[in-house]
Amino acid sequence: MAHLYCHEHPDTLVLATDVVDARPGRVALAQSPFYPGGGGQPGDRGVLRWSGGEAQIVDFACAEDGTLWHVLDNQAEIGGSVEAAVDPRFRRIMRQLHTGTHILNAFVYQSFNGALVTGVQMYEDGTARMDFDVPGADNDRLRALEAPINDIIAQDIAVTFDYVDFAAAQAQHGLVRSRSVAPTPTPDGKIRIVEITGLDRQACGGTHLASTGASPPIRILKIDNKGRHNRRVRIGLTDLAAS
Ligand SMILES: [Zn+2]
């Protein structure tokens, strides 16, 4: 994964930029504020506006040469200057949910002998599921993690990121936490590390809050057994899950 604009400028949701390549119904931009999806986090929603029209962005496609295509909801052929705008509600929900999955992951990792994530998926309705490889885990112990998760949110702890050498990251135990959703390295051989100060540090390419207090409290909604080894934990943001 390249260095994404949304990683460096997570609060810039509206960007004036230029179309650098176009096909009917899709464009590549000089700079894009959108998260294109990956690691269980769906791509941003948003809109592209130009003089004389606009189109919803419904999907992203990454070409083999690295071009990020923004797939539009119509067959417009556009060029020149455009305004790209990320759907702010969708991005906020994803940042909150994604940060919540890190907090949950941190406590599962600490409480269950370094248990690894085998899958994660976030949803627009403010819920997410995480699958963990936790042989024989007591589901009540998993459920009890809700209180410490919300303690971390209440403490409003900083969430920061940096880039480290990919080979060094692989060698450091616990940094690449997921077998299924580890981000791909950047062209210069680095991997992005996201840190919740004092709690969690792991490789990740998604979008997160700047601090944990920007999330509403989180509920553990359900725990399913997926075979003897795996547990599927569903979490929800309280301000959305209730509605
Ligand atoms: Zn993440």
Side-chain angles (χ1 to χ4, degrees):
M1 181 178 282
H3 291 270
L4 294 177
Y5 183 90
C6 66
H7 286 161
E8 314 297 324
H9 308 278
D11 296 312
T12 301
L13 300 186
V14 180
L15 191 63
T17 185
D18 294 302
V19 172
V20 293
D21 201 354
R23 306 275 185 279
R26 53 178 60 193
V27 296
L29 302 175
Q31 278 193 309
S32 173
F34 299 100
Y35 179 65
Q41 182 182 338
D44 278 325
R45 308 285 164 74
V47 61
L48 203 65
R49 301 186 184 95
W50 61 95
S51 62
E54 68 173 53
Q56 299 295 317
I57 291 167
V58 294
D59 202 2
F60 301 89
C62 195
E64 274 185 26
D65 64 3
T67 301
L68 176 64
W69 290 107
H70 300 64
V71 180
L72 312 176
D73 70 341
N74 62 48
Q75 294 296 302
E77 284 190 72
I78 56 182
S81 301
V82 293
E83 181 185 83
V86 178
D87 179 331
R89 180 177 182 275
F90 186 87
R91 170 68 71 80
R92 175 175 52 80
I93 291 169
M94 290 306 143
R95 291 178 75 182
Q96 291 171 341
L97 269 182
H98 200 138
T99 304
T101 64
H102 280 240
I103 301 171
L104 169 64
N105 185 348
F107 282 116
V108 171
Y109 185 78
Q110 291 171 13
S111 307
F112 295 90
N113 301 317
L116 292 177
V117 177
T118 55
V120 58
Q121 186 63 49
M122 292 153 228
Y123 301 100
E124 190 174 3
D125 67 357
T127 68
R129 64 165 170 80
M130 290 194 90
D131 295 340
F132 295 99
D133 182 8
V134 279
D138 176 351
N139 288 356
D140 286 337
R141 275 184 65 213
L142 280 165
R143 243 173 245 117
L145 297 178
E146 186 179 288
I149 288 170
N150 287 306
D151 268 355
I152 294 294
I153 291 172
Q155 288 175 51
D156 195 18
I157 297 171
V159 183
T160 60
F161 67 90
D162 61 356
Y163 289 87
V164 305
D165 183 71
F166 183 61
Q170 283 189 308
Q172 190 177 333
H173 185 70
L175 207 51
V176 179
R177 194 74 56 79
S178 168
R179 293 202 171 110
S180 63
V181 296
T184 50
T186 60
D188 56 348
K190 307 273 192 196
I191 194 166
R192 185 169 183 261
I193 304 295
V194 174
E195 178 163 2
I196 301 172
T197 307
L199 178 74
D200 186 58
R201 185 171 159 81
Q202 63 170 291
C204 189
T207 66
H208 312 81
L209 298 170
S211 64
T212 60
S215 175
I218 283 171
R219 295 280 167 266
I220 292 180
L221 301 173
K222 196 161 186 263
I223 297 170
D224 291 316
N225 295 350
K226 295 285 172 184
R228 278 199 308 142
H229 284 262
N230 284 279
R231 294 290 182 278
R232 172 165 292 180
V233 182
R234 291 181 184 276
I235 62 171
L237 303 170
T238 48
D239 62 345
L240 288 166
S243 61

